[in-house]
Amino acid sequence: MKKLRIIKLFTLAAICAALSSASAVTLSDKDKQFLSGYEKAHTALAADDLSGAKAAANDLGSEGAELSKSSSLKEARTAFEKLSAKAKQLAAGQPGYYIYYCPMLKKDWVQTSTTTANPYAGKDMVGCGQIQK
């Protein structure tokens, strides 16, 4: 009876491990390109670099159109916020991506570093935010 219980526990553990590894969906090349462009835009906005954010929009496909037309950091950050919804979906369950939240601005974003780099506040409050994932 004890051996049967041990076998059941190992079987259950193997099933759980298989399910957890299957939960991370493999990203398409298009999705990887989007996340790469998103990360470039994130980095630029955290550094208050409007031209860098606009240049990163080229890697975002049609979704980057609004960002590429931004004439101010405020407009670019508004466009970036819309892109963050898609980035959060794509990054969910993917290793190396972290979802951050800024409680002061009530906004979230995705980044690949564990060092907070707030794209909505830029240099003024670059460290404001916390990992949600």
Side-chain angles (χ1 to χ4, degrees):
M1 195 56 113
K2 191 174 183 179
K3 286 182 182 179
L4 183 59
R5 185 179 293 169
I6 292 172
I7 291 171
K8 286 181 181 180
L9 284 173
F10 279 117
T11 303
L12 181 60
I15 290 171
C16 288
L19 289 175
S20 68
S21 66
S23 67
V25 176
T26 303
L27 296 173
S28 69
D29 288 341
K30 184 178 177 182
D31 292 341
K32 289 176 186 175
Q33 181 179 349
F34 177 88
L35 286 173
S36 174
Y38 176 88
E39 180 68 16
K40 290 175 189 173
H42 160 260
T43 301
L45 291 172
D48 294 334
D49 178 7
L50 178 60
S51 62
K54 290 172 70 167
N58 296 328
D59 294 336
L60 296 168
S62 60
E63 288 109 334
E66 186 178 344
L67 178 59
S68 70
K69 296 174 186 172
S70 299
S71 60
S72 68
L73 282 170
K74 183 177 179 179
E75 285 180 14
R77 289 181 170 125
T78 299
F80 183 80
E81 185 175 7
K82 295 172 186 171
L83 297 168
S84 292
K86 179 176 180 176
K88 282 176 28 181
Q89 276 186 326
L90 294 176
Q94 298 296 322
Y97 290 95
Y98 304 94
I99 298 172
Y100 275 78
Y101 177 73
C102 174
M104 292 183 71
L105 299 174
K106 299 185 180 5
K107 297 183 188 298
D108 47 21
W109 70 93
V110 175
Q111 65 179 61
T112 56
S113 171
T114 57
T115 302
T116 305
N118 189 325
Y120 299 110
K123 292 179 182 178
D124 289 339
M125 295 185 348
V126 74
C128 183
Q130 55 204 21
I131 295 177
Q132 295 297 298
K133 172 187 164 191

